Each structure stands twice: as structure tokens, then as C-alpha cells.
Amino acid sequence: MITGGQRFVASPPAFSQDGKKLLVCTGCTVSIFSVSTGMQITELEGGHTDRVTSVVVVPVGAPSSKFMSYCWTSSLDGTICYWDFASAELIKKVKIQFPVHSMVIPSLSTIGSTEEGSNLYAFLSVEDINKPASEKKALHGQVRIYDLKNQKPVGGLLTETRNPEILYASKNGEFLGISNKRKLHIWRIPANNFRFDEIKKIKLHHTKKLTCLAFHSTLRMVAGGDDTGRILIWYNFGREKFAQNLQNLKGTKNPSDEVKPGVRNNDDVDSCTTWHWHPSEVKFLHFSSDGAYLYSGGNEGVIVVWQIDTGKKKFKPRLGSPLLYFTESPDPSLSCVSCSDNHIHLLKMPTMDISKSISGIKPPFSFPLKHEGSCTQVAFEQTTGLVAVSTEDYCVQFYSLFDNHEVSEVQVCKRNFQPADDVMLYVALVAISLDGSLMATIDVTIPEEKLGGLVCLKYWTRGSLVAEYLLSTVIYEPHSDAQVSSLAFRPGHNMAVTSSYGGDFKVWVHGSHASRNNESMQRTGWRCQSVGSYKGKPLTAAVFSADGSVLAIAAETMITLWDPDSNILVAMIGDTLSPITKLSFVGNSEYLVSYTHSLKPQLSVWSTSNLALYWSHGIVTEAVSCSHDESQFAVLALLSSPGDADAKGNGVIFFFHVEDPVPVATWTVTKAKGGSLAFLPANPSLHESSATNGVNQLLLIFMNGEHEYTIFNPHKEEDIISKNSRKSQAAQDEAERLGYTSIYGDLSNTNAKHNHFQEVPFAPSERPWETIFSGSSHVLPPLTKLCTSFFESLLEKRLENSNEMIIDADL
Amino acid sequence: MADESKPFFPVEKAHHVKPPPPRRPRLNTQESRFWRCFRHSELASGLILPVTALEFSPVAPFHLAAACSAAVHLYDGGSSPSLAPLPHSPLSGFSDVAYSPSFRCDGSLLAAGGESGLVQVFRLDKAGPPLRRLSAHARPVRFVRYPRLEDKLHVFSGGDDALLVYWDVPSETQLITFPGAHRDYIRAGSPSPTSPEVMATGSYDHSIKIWDVRVPSSSNAILSFSHGDPVESVLFLPSGGLLATAGGNVVKIWDVIGGGRLIHTMEGHNKTVSALSLGRVGNASTALGGGEPRLLSVSIDGYMKSFDFATFKITHSMRYPAQLLSIGFSPSGNSRVVGTSNGVIYMGMKKKLLQEENGTGSASVFDGYAPEPKKQVLKPTNYRYFHRGQTEKPRETDYPIKRAPKVKLAEHDKLLKKFRHREALVSVLSKKDPTSTVAVMEELVIRKKLLKCVANLDVDELGLLLRFLHKYATMPRYARFLMNLANKVIEMRPEDIQSNKHLSKHVGSLRRRVAEEIMIQRSLQEIQGMISPFLIIAGR
């Protein structure tokens, strides 16, 4: 069994201490990625049973411990684990009893405080599970302190909030804060070996709901972002309350009528300024390590860099989706930003260029309600084990299922994506031909008050790279203004079909209408070969049979069979109770399977030889997938009826043999709503195990509503598909380029040139002493020069002689 | 390390998707640089009829003869910057259309054929009646040629009566005649550059024949081969061993010595190739015989192509706005002329005349003393002082950091980026480019802002919008979108439109447009109604 498609951005990631690895919470494991390649190195698994919520890397103290790599992780299952992440080993596990939503260990922030003897206090934001969830007003969130060394809680609650909040700690570990509705709570934590009652707290007030905060690295400055996009910066907070001793405080007590610009409720700060650029909620705030800049980001996908002294802004736009977290690495030239489209971009710091992206499968997005029926977000490419996912930013993402990483992304609509409340343009349908050489997409623009709606069919051909597709044909409004209900390729032919709710279907062929005279007309493209309709009924589904000889089209409750080449209606098959949502041929057999989605859900199997219903079930079907050569198919069914408002989304996968209405096997799954199923051939190049078996086994893939997927073998009870033996994709440790070289590159060796001077071979004439002194005396150089060369020539000679003598001796 | 974040997409790209055009490499070769150093102009002549032939004199100063209608125009090749007509031009001793002027090897006489079938010989130093009139042809003579080598007495002529004649000019007698030399019109021919007695002719019967007047047996060519299309032009290449023929839309290169073997077929033209000429490319001492030889061909598709017959590659092509019929390239390498079917002669004159270059170059060599240019120290009084160092080239050891290329954005793109939707709409409306205007409107629809923009336009801007609508609303490409928009605009702003005279005028013309369109649609439907029964019958 292979799982994949986890969310990388559920919680903030953390850099390792050398800045070469990134620890990312992926479900109940922690994945470690290499910063230089963006590939996964290892995974910390086996410690947690629920979602990991935070990772805290233990900083390196002494240089001797440079190769130590330890981290603490907290999880919703109420445990905190201590790992050695270099070797991916679990060292210690601490039980908390409460689901931990956020954890900070402030004393770890100061390097050198990790020596033995000092206590390790973790501050936890936990959920109080004793209070019933039905009490909406109850205070479910608590902030607790836990002594990780002695494994016992310390003191009482710091505070209680409505929901568990995320904890923020300042860089030197002195302050700790949370945002609670319209207030910031800030605690000052004394240095080592503190007592619980030494912790002091102040509150900072605002008039809007605060969403995030950040502490300045050196100054007493805190920034808070609210849900209207404002950023508030409080200077010099807690001057009175956090003063070192009380006597001092009394002596310097300020009069209460002191002017504090911008401060509300007489908070304990000197002043407060407000910046406003973000149009909606601020998702993160982060002070740069030198304290000169503040990074902020939010829904609009732009990192704003504020110069703190002046309030001037710089932007990093077009990151493609709402931003969630910003993490800085120990290396000042590297940081990363997590986007809600399941991507973590590694940024080269001063310029903020994206150097690498850790890209997970993009999450599903919500279609506008009216059009939901006619959308498939997921298409599987059988040959290479890729899944094509249509994304919110008008792309189709190709994701390798077996390798669990992104392969490529095809921009379907070349439009700048702006995260907005309502989707007006989306990629509705994606279809890929069986061999993967062709792709077709349909993108829909929703009209603004019946103005400007557009349906656009695009055909793509595969380029030279894997999953690289090039646009070949654009067809505007393939069915005038009717919505396209389905799109399918004919196996083995360059032919596709689209059916529309407007009551007609079109068969498209790829042809080159080359005419000899005109060169510009020699471009190939897709054109409509034939148009058909059945009694003017809306056509809800279309599919080709596995060998491509029959085209089945559902005209609401009827199934019509067509000859795709001559466009002749061959047969009709009888009636369902409500309009058919999807059709599929079962392998090479003569059976068709269909399901309906409305109030009377039905899963039906039809026989094309008898033109009659074979068997049917009244189950709510979400997806059907048929294997290509065997007469088996899998059905994903929901356990709740579609009318149910609070459907949990639990479902069942049934594995049917077409002859038998009793399922061969069943599996229960969660989050089945919006899920999909597909059969994939086990790729021998990826799976040594199946290659050794010699049997080309068929694997079933289930992708749930959040695009997490599982691949398993439906034929075996205990499926033991070896976990994809992932080659360690760590980069070779290349010499770290820091400081000067990271900016200007290596200095080229300027001395190199001097060495290249040709060494003139010193070739003394046979007997220099004979000629060196000859000539008239006024032409001769001074005697001192002549003598040295004379002696040198003698020395040379002597050396040669000595060499010869040695050789003679050897002989 | 490239930034992998997404590029900025201009709005037109987003809404008018086209598959990428086949990319053509940007030509910046030595060859294209050579062809670019010609200054282009039209040789003012006021001619209307096609320029059927252009011929440069083989001796300096390389006069040009152009056959057009019933005259041969002469231009002075030594004049600059443009070829000027000679004082006694044009030669007008023709009773009908003149064809195929040909200079004698010493450039003092010119022979030309004509529609009347008469071959006439003119003197070039002064005006006057033709010196000799050679009459043998019964049909138009399209091919008259002096031999290229030192032979001042003879001339070849071939006509539409398929007759090829070898004349003795002084006595006006036919030395040799080849009656029925071809089975169709003789339209082209070329004297051999190596022998004054050898001549190649091409005809509309697709064949090319090589004749030698020394061979006694008449009426049989020494070599004959078929081009495959009616031959429009024949040209011996300088070696005399290769022959280029043009016919149809191909140019073929033949090996004459090897018995008429086809060596290469050049298929660069889309329409019939009308003329061939020899040219020389290259700047180094091009004066005479320098530079690389090229075969220049022109076609009635309007392209002139330069073909390197050493490597068999088309090295350059140039487009002209008319059908091209003739081409000439001055032996001096200074000018190039192309004649078109509408009487315009396009001329390219070298920007720097070659002989001047030679003159200055040699002077400095012979002086023997070349003073080193004194390097002036820049002072702050000098303007260049403030620009010093800006054009400095990086040294080998320097590590150049490239500045990110600046993205050029249109005005409306910039405004859309700032979410200033109404300004973007107004700015693109005032540009009057329908494609980008519709693209901006579609983008606004996606942002759900179009109707708000329309509601916020003031009267002048509304006038712009209505003007745009009445101009383009019925254009089929945009009609479905713009008609709806026009409806909405009129629904939304009735008071403004009624109160303002200009706006109501726009709406009036819009209504007229729509009425017209409805009429067109109706008549189209009628036609469809008439045709569809036929189609159904034909379908059976």
C-alpha cells in the first residue's frame, strides 16, 4: 500500500540548524526535505497517530555537537516526541493527554541553554476535550506549561481561550504571545529555572479580530495583523509590567496621562502604529533576523516587505495562492513561504527569488454550485502513473502517484490568478487519452449577469518531456453557450467526443487539412467531424468503449450507442429513474455501468448484447472505475444520502465482478465525498516487487476529497506492496556558500594567469664557458652577471652528470 | 537559478489564446547584415506597364537598361546616391512593347527585342535611330543576347515562333537559324560565360537546350533536358559548368558538363519564379569579382531570395509589395534593382559606396605613417565625463550580475494590476484596438467589475464606449459579447443617453447597424433555406 498526497502546509515547517533540511509536517509523519534539491530525504514515522501540529528543532549549542540533529514534535494525538532526525529515530515520547495544537519551547531559542540540568519547559496550546463540543461558548483552548524533562505539567493554566490558538515566541525566548479575539496576550518568561508565579502577562487591545503576531528579534516590539488586513506595531510593550524589579518600577512610574500615540485602553506600550496594505486577513507576520524588515502575507498571495523605520513597502507578487506561513532559516539568504495550494517555496532572500519549490498535490477547489455536476477535477494517466489535477489558478498539475511529487504544471488559461471569493473562471474538465499523448481541457468563464460567459475547449499534444503539453487547438464555445457535460478520448484513435447539456454531442478529429499551395494552412488541428443529438434531450455523459468501436452517450435517462465513424445511432438502452451522471464500459466486456446522482441514486450495469438492465443497486455512487482488460470494476459509494447536510463523508469502495451483483471485496474509507477511483497498471519500472512476480498486477487508487490518495492491490487481502523504496534524494553535501561567495560567487583565481607563462626551457649551449666571455670587453655585461651564469652553467652540467652516474650505478 | 514563480500574463494573452506560432530564428548573419546595408528607394520612372527585364552593363560605370512598355530606359550607374536617367533615355525606336535589352561586351551597344518581332541595335553614347534592324522573327522576340565574351559582332535571338537565330550584326544577316528550335515559345536564354559560341535557351515546352554555333549540323542542340515546368529564366553560373533554370516555383541547378545532370532543386518560392540574376555578397573588396557569388531569384509571390549555390542554401529572402518580374545586380556591387508588374522599379543602393572605401583605405596604407590617435584625458568640463564607465565591458575576471529584464506592460495592464478598473477600460477604449479592448472587458467580467465600470463612466467616457460598440458590436468575432454589453449599457444609462446629444447620436447609429445586421442575417437565412434542400439531396 502506498499513500501520498499529504498536505505539506497544515502546520508551519522548520529548518534544520544547518539550514540544509526542511522539516515539514505531513499528516501524522514529519517529512524531511533537502533544501538544495527540494526532494524528500526521509520521513519521521511511527511516533504519532494523528496530525503533527508543530516541529521545534533543537539548536546546536557547542560546535562539537554540530552534527546533532534533534527535534521535538507535537501532535493532535496528545503526545510530544523527541527525534533524531538525521537517522529518523524516535528517542522519547511524552504523553500530554490533550490534543496539542501548538507548541513552543522558548528556552530552546537561546543557544547554550540546552546543557544538562536545566529544565526544558514547553508551552502548549491544547484543546480541552473534557468540555463537550456542543457548548459553542465554552473555552476550549488552554495554554499550559509542561516540563519535558521530568514529564510533568507545571503550574496551572496560563489562559483559556475559545479555541486553541497558535503560540508565538520571540527569538530570544523572552516573550510568548497568542492572539485572542481582539486582544494580544503577551507573557514574559524569565530565563532559566523560573517559577510559575514569576510569569507576568500584559494584554494589548485592538478593535478588530487579530489573526497573527510576531515579535521583533531584538527590540521590544510586537506586530499584530487583523482580519481586515491592518498591521499594528506596538513599540516598547510592557515597560511597566515587565520591568525587572518592582522598586525600580515605583521610582520611575510614569504619570498615567502621558501621551501614547495610537494606543487603546491605556495598554502598557509606548506607541502603536498601523499599516494597511492587505485587503483581507493577514496570515503571517515575520520580522527579519536583523530586525530591519517585517514580512507580511495574506490571502492575495503577495509577500509585503515593510521597512520598519520608514514603513516603505516592497512586494513579491504572483506566488499563486493564499500564503500561510513564513519561516526563516539560520542561513540569512534562505527562507521559505508556505502557500495554501500545498506548495512550499524556498526563497533566496534579499531578492526573494524562488529557488526551489516543494510542491505537493494541489488541493481541490470549490466549483460554483450551479456548475458542480459537470466538473471532474481529476484525470489519471494510465501509462506513467500520473494524475492530472485541475487547480484553482487555471493550471493542470501533473502529479506522480508512485513517487509522490509534482511532475509538471500546464497553464490552461494564461491569466493572472487572484485569490477571490467567488470563482469566475475555472478548468472544468480534463481528459487525457489512454496513451497520454493527448490532453483536452475545458475552461468555463461564468457570465457576469448573463454577460460574457465563455466555454473554451482546448486540445493539447504532449511535448518532448514527461507531462509537458503544448497547446494545439483552441475551440471557443464548442456547443454554443451550453455547458459541456463530458469529454472523452477514443482509445487508439485521434478522436474525442464532447457532450453538452444543450442536447448535442460533437465528435472531434485531429486532422491536417494540408493544402499544397498555402503553407500557412498546413498546420494541424482538431476539427468537428460530426454532430449528433437524441430527441433534443440534454446529454449528460459520453464514453467510448475500450476498443473504441462504440460510443455510448447518456441522454438523461436513456443510453444511446453510436458508431463514432459514421455517426449512426446503433441502439438505445432503456430507462433509469433519473438522469445518468456517468457512464463507463466495463473493460472489454459487453457491459456498461452507469450511476445517477439525484434523489434516487442508482448504480446500474447494462448489457449491450441484450440491450437491457443486468443488475442495479440503490447506492449513492461517487465514482466508478473499470479495469481495462478484466471484467471488474470498483465503485466508490457514500454512506449518506446526497440530501444529508452534515454528511461525514465516510464511504465504501466496492469491488465488483460484472457478472455478480455481490461485491468481491469492500473497503471503508473516509473523506469519500469528492473522491475518485482509478485502476493503474503497476509500473514495473517503479516496483521491483511486481516485476519479480512477473504478473502485471492491476492496482486500485483511491483519491479522497482532499486529494490524499492510497494505492493498493484489490486482489489481495493483505496487500503488501512494498513501500516505494525511495532512493535517498539528498544532494551531495556541497560546500556551503555563505557571505561573500553567496552574493558574488566564487572569486576566480586571478593569479592563474601568472602561472600560464610559458616556461622557456633553459637550454644551455653545450659549452657556455667557451662563448660567454668571448667578444670585446666593452660589449660584455658586467663581470658579476657573467660569473653567475657561468657558474650556473657549470652546475647544470654537473647535475646532468650526476644523474647519469646514478643511472650507471643502477645498471 | 531562475525564479520559478509565475510570469505576469498581459490581459490580451489571457483572453485571445492562440497556439504559439512556429518560431523562426532571428536572422542576424553576415548575409542579412549585408543585405541590410542597402538603402531602399523606388527608382522614379512613372511607368505603369510591367518591367519585364533589367540589365546592367558589363563595363564601368555599369549603366542599367530597363525594358518597360515600348521603350528601353537607361540609367547612369555612376551617379549617386540614386541611379539617374541618362540624357538620351529612353530609347524609343519601338513600334510595340520592347523586350530583353542586352549590352554588348564593351557596353557601347545595346540590342533589344520587341513584340513586333524586330531585333534592334542601339548606340548608347547618344540618341538616335537604331543602328541595325534585324528582322527574321514573325512573332514577338523575348530573348535577345550578345555573347558574354569578347565577341562584338554576333547576337542571339529567340522568339515566340520557336525560332532561334544567330545574327551577324554589321551585315544584318542570319548566320545560322534553328527553325523549330523548341516546340513552344522561347522565353529565356543565357550566353555561356566561357565561350562566345555557346548559348542555352529555355522554352515553354519545359525544355532547356544548349546550342553551339560551331557545330555544323543545324537544328540539333548539343544538349537538351527538361525542367518540368515552362522555363521563365535561364542563367549560366560564372564557372560555365553550371546552369540555373527557373520555371514554375522552383529553381534548378544543372551540371552542363556532366551531361545535364540535375544537381539541386531550390523550392523557396511560392509562385512562379520570374527571373534570375547573379549577385555578390560580402564587404571585402567587392569591387569586381570579390565577395561570394549568389544566385538571386525573384518571383511573382513578391519575394527575392538569395541562394548560395556553393552550399545550396537560401541565405536571405526579402519581401516586396508587388509581383516581381525582373532583377538586376550591378557588377560594382553598389546597387540592386527589382522590377515589378506594376511598373515600379525598386532599387537598393549601398549606403557606403564601395569604391570610396577602397580609396581611403589605400591612402592610409601607402602613407606609411599612421599617427596614433591621441587619447584625451576627460575633464569635468566634458559632457562625456559624466558618462564615463557606463559603457565599460566586463573583464574576464568580472562576475556580471544581470539586471532582470524589464517587463513592458501596456497602459491597461498596469491599471488592471492596480485594480483601477474604470481607468483601464477608458485607457483601452481610447486606444481603439478592438482585440485588446474586448480582452480587457472579458477580464473585467471575470473580476465581476464590468457593469460597475459601465455604471461609473462619465459622459465623455460613455461616449467612447458607445462609439466602440457601434463600430464593433456587429463584428462576428465579438458580436455575441458586445451585443449583450450594448443592451446592458443602454439599459443602465438611459438618462445620460437621452440627455446628451452625442450619446443619442451614437445610439442611433448603433441601432442602424443592428438593423443592417438583421437584414443580413435574414437574407443569409433565406439563402440557407434555398441551399439546404440541395444539400440534403446531395447527401443522399
Side-chain angles (χ1 to χ4, degrees), chain A residues 316 318 348 352-355 357 393 395 409 411 414-416 418 422 424-425 445-446 448-454 458 471-472 474 476-477 481 519 523 744-745 748 750, chain B residues 1-10 13-22 270 397 399 401 417 419 443-452 480-481 484-485 488:
Chain A
K316 170 70 188 171
R318 288 191 294 285
K348 230 172 104 181
M352 307 192 81
D353 288 339
I354 296 176
S355 61
S357 289
D393 52 350
C395 292
E409 209 171 52
Q411 184 88 34
K414 289 199 168 168
R415 180 175 182 265
N416 304 304
Q418 291 145 356
D422 31 355
M424 293 291 284
L425 170 66
T445 310
I446 298 169
E448 179 191 13
E449 298 190 19
K450 294 177 184 168
L451 181 64
L454 183 70
K458 288 176 183 159
L471 186 60
S472 79
V474 183
Y476 291 105
E477 304 193 313
D481 50 354
E519 274 189 356
R523 279 161 72 177
Y744 296 111
S748 61
T750 47
Chain B
M1 207 181 287
D3 193 347
E4 290 174 16
S5 57
K6 288 194 178 173
F8 181 82
F9 297 116
K13 228 177 176 176
H15 296 286
H16 291 280
V17 195
K18 282 179 207 146
N270 290 330
T397 52
Y399 184 78
I401 299 170
K417 232 174 128 182
F419 299 89
E443 174 67 28
L444 290 176
V445 165
I446 293 178
R447 298 186 186 191
K448 274 193 172 172
K449 292 291 185 300
L450 181 60
L451 295 183
K452 201 168 260 180
R480 202 184 60 84
F481 176 62
N484 282 339
L485 179 64
K488 278 271 184 234

Side-chain angles (χ1 to χ4, degrees), chain B residues 328-346:
Chain B
F329 193 88
S330 163
S332 70
N334 280 335
S335 57
R336 177 199 78 224
V337 285
V338 170
T340 65
S341 63
N342 54 10
V344 180
I345 301 175
Y346 291 100

Side-chain angles (χ1 to χ4, degrees), chain B residues 120-131:
Chain B
Q120 305 179 79
V121 179
F122 300 89
R123 62 189 300 168
L124 289 173
D125 47 355
K126 63 183 184 206
L131 297 178

